[in-house]
Amino acid sequence: MTAEQQDEPQHGNDYIAPAPRISVQAFCASVATATTARAAADDRRLAKAHLSVHMGGIAAAIDTYHKAPTPNVIMLETEPDSDFLAGLDELSTVCDPGTRVVVLGMPGEAAPYRELVRRGVNDYVIGPVKVLDIVRSICSLFSSSEAVSVGRLIAVAGAKGGVGASTIAHNVAWTIARDLGLDSVVIDLDLAFGTAGLDYNQDPVQGIANAVYAPERPDSAFMERLLSKCGDHLSLLAAPATLDQVYDFGAEAFDAIFDTMRMTTSCIVLDVPHQWTAWTKRVLVGADDILIVAEPDLANMRNTKNMMNLLKTARPNDRPPLYCLNQVGMSKRPEIEVKDFAKTIDSQPIAAIPFDCRLFGEAANNGQMIAEVSARHRTTRTFLQIAHRLTGRADLAEARESFLSPILRKLQPRHNDGRRAAG
């Protein structure tokens, strides 16, 4: 496996949707499991959940719920040499309706799963339990059992102003919608200077400002009215791009908007402005996938490294952020070589997009995407490759080639001493 493949985002069965606002209480029998549960509480996908950890196992849980109501989720670690099934029977007498139960098995233990299910256990995790096991178990209780469609948040941000992050975000979102067929929404978070409306040749009268300043929590119907249609599968939540007011927001200003959009849209691409505030940091840390856009110079290299390091630390259970280089090969401009840039960042860029002032200038001035200006240009293909990397959707052409290659090798003429064998 290459370093680039190791950086692939988790998708499909590996994708863990965030948990809603719920209360979770874990009753552990071992210090190791308790430590793991406390680490899971800090995972970004449990940011809205309140996870508390207690010692004492199922006996402590029974004693607690004789005196207090049960939370949304109870996690119970089994103990050696104890009648755990009898404990579950007693716990059921004090459990409130609707409470979900997750059992954490001891290492090497195999509890009678059928008996656990018969007693209403919702999930069983065999030890040794890891952080992602706990996160996945809690989140899956709500993302799958309630049949809620949970869209992916893809955040695109520039390492420096003017590096073309918005252009890349808009083109990649357009490619995801058109070529991959995923229902997608672009949210332009640069309320004062956003360019998504210009790039998609749209002039909507409503957009993200109406949602963020709404007096009540936005629902799906309200958000649908604010969207501008840009294609069969692509919509836009545009920025007002006016200076009538100062756009100051708290850290959680966009949470309700993102939560609502996740309910109805497969892919949400966030065009994040180049600024460092509580809310931009929260957007990046909370996204499912992150793409940092940089130019090949010293300031961009420093900023990219700083952003990558911070996001890796804040998201220890996620894949590392991805980054790409833009405007590479500008005439007469001194640049840092891609290999030197990658060595400093300690990972390879997923793409290096060449500088082409005519192509990008024509697209920007006409309100078009790069593929609309030149469908066969190599940058068009690059955007498709980025779309595949960010969504985890396999490139079907490459997949077919990979699948057929063993067969094709068998059909190729054999060589002997550098000469083709006579047929």
Side-chain angles (χ1 to χ4, degrees):
M1 180 179 290
T2 67
E4 293 174 349
Q5 289 171 326
Q6 290 174 346
D7 286 343
E8 282 288 356
Q10 298 181 33
H11 293 274
N13 294 331
D14 292 330
Y15 170 54
I16 305 174
R21 295 187 185 278
I22 54 172
S23 58
V24 184
Q25 293 181 356
F27 290 86
C28 302
S30 66
V31 174
T33 300
T35 301
T36 301
R38 291 189 181 99
D42 294 328
D43 188 271
R44 67 174 180 87
R45 285 155 290 212
L46 297 183
K48 295 178 182 176
H50 177 69
L51 171 57
S52 59
V53 182
H54 313 271
M55 299 301 295
I58 194 168
I62 294 170
D63 183 62
T64 298
Y65 300 132
H66 270 298
K67 311 166 189 173
T70 53
N72 301 107
V73 179
I74 302 173
M75 304 195 86
L76 303 167
E77 184 180 15
T78 61
E79 300 177 66
D81 304 323
S82 66
D83 192 346
F84 189 76
L85 295 179
L88 282 177
D89 291 336
E90 185 176 352
L91 181 65
S92 66
T93 64
V94 295
C95 229
D96 298 332
T99 296
R100 306 177 193 198
V101 178
V102 175
V103 173
L104 307 177
M106 300 288 287
E109 178 188 50
Y113 184 69
R114 183 176 297 177
E115 290 299 320
L116 294 177
V117 172
R118 193 169 68 82
R119 285 166 170 80
V121 170
N122 299 91
D123 194 13
Y124 177 47
V125 181
I126 301 176
V129 179
K130 299 179 181 179
V131 170
L132 276 182
D133 294 331
I134 293 178
V135 173
R136 183 181 292 107
S137 180
I138 295 172
C139 294
S140 64
L141 292 175
F142 297 89
S143 63
S144 59
S145 62
E146 297 182 1
V148 174
S149 175
V150 182
R152 299 189 64 83
L153 285 180
I154 297 174
V156 181
K160 194 168 176 283
V163 297
S166 291
T167 298
I168 290 176
H170 305 160
N171 277 274
V172 169
W174 189 85
T175 302
I176 291 172
R178 190 194 70 160
D179 295 330
L180 305 188
L182 294 178
D183 289 330
S184 305
V185 168
V186 174
I187 302 182
D188 192 342
L189 295 173
D190 190 350
L191 274 73
F193 302 105
T195 59
L198 296 175
D199 285 351
Y200 290 122
N201 198 23
Q202 299 283 326
D203 188 20
V205 295
Q206 299 183 109
I208 184 65
N210 301 84
V212 76
Y213 290 123
E216 299 179 357
R217 183 181 178 88
D219 57 22
S220 297
F222 175 70
M223 295 303 302
E224 189 68 28
R225 292 195 296 271
L226 301 181
L227 296 175
S228 302
K229 196 75 171 173
C230 300
D232 291 339
H233 297 285
L234 182 64
S235 298
L236 167 65
L237 194 58
T242 61
L243 305 180
D244 298 339
Q245 57 184 311
V246 175
Y247 302 104
D248 290 332
F249 304 112
E252 302 179 4
F254 297 94
D255 285 7
I257 297 171
F258 299 159
D259 290 345
T260 302
M261 295 306 304
R262 280 182 183 272
M263 301 285 286
T264 58
T265 309
S266 300
C267 183
I268 303 105
V269 178
L270 308 176
D271 181 3
V272 185
H274 179 71
Q275 53 184 266
W276 198 243
T277 62
W279 71 264
T280 53
K281 179 181 177 182
R282 185 176 178 86
V283 166
L284 291 174
V285 171
D288 296 305
D289 295 295
I290 304 167
L291 177 64
I292 299 170
V293 180
E295 289 184 1
D297 64 29
L298 185 61
N300 275 274
M301 187 170 67
R302 179 202 64 185
N303 294 354
T304 300
K305 186 172 180 62
N306 288 343
M307 292 174 73
M308 295 279 282
N309 289 343
L310 181 139
L311 292 169
K312 288 178 184 177
T313 301
R315 300 153 52 90
N317 306 313
D318 287 270
R319 301 279 186 167
L322 304 174
Y323 78 97
C324 72
L325 293 176
N326 192 30
Q327 301 183 21
V328 176
M330 184 181 297
S331 178
K332 299 183 180 180
R333 180 182 70 175
E335 295 182 350
I336 296 176
E337 294 288 338
V338 173
K339 60 181 178 61
D340 296 326
F341 200 104
K343 183 177 180 180
T344 300
I345 305 302
D346 200 26
S347 67
Q348 292 292 326
I350 64 169
I353 302 172
F355 176 72
D356 191 330
C357 58
R358 186 204 63 78
L359 175 66
F360 282 87
E362 182 178 343
N365 288 336
N366 293 340
Q368 292 179 300
M369 297 293 100
I370 297 301
E372 294 177 297
V373 176
S374 180
R376 297 184 179 275
H377 197 279
R378 60 175 174 168
T379 300
T380 299
R381 178 63 186 173
T382 299
F383 286 139
L384 181 58
Q385 292 169 346
I386 294 174
H388 283 301
R389 288 292 300 271
L390 288 173
T391 60
R393 297 298 179 100
D395 188 324
L396 294 180
E398 292 181 2
R400 290 192 194 99
E401 183 179 349
S402 175
F403 176 75
L404 292 174
S405 56
I407 302 173
L408 293 175
R409 280 197 297 269
K410 290 182 180 180
L411 295 177
Q412 288 176 347
R414 293 183 180 273
H415 291 70
N416 185 20
D417 297 327
R419 294 172 295 177
R420 180 171 296 181

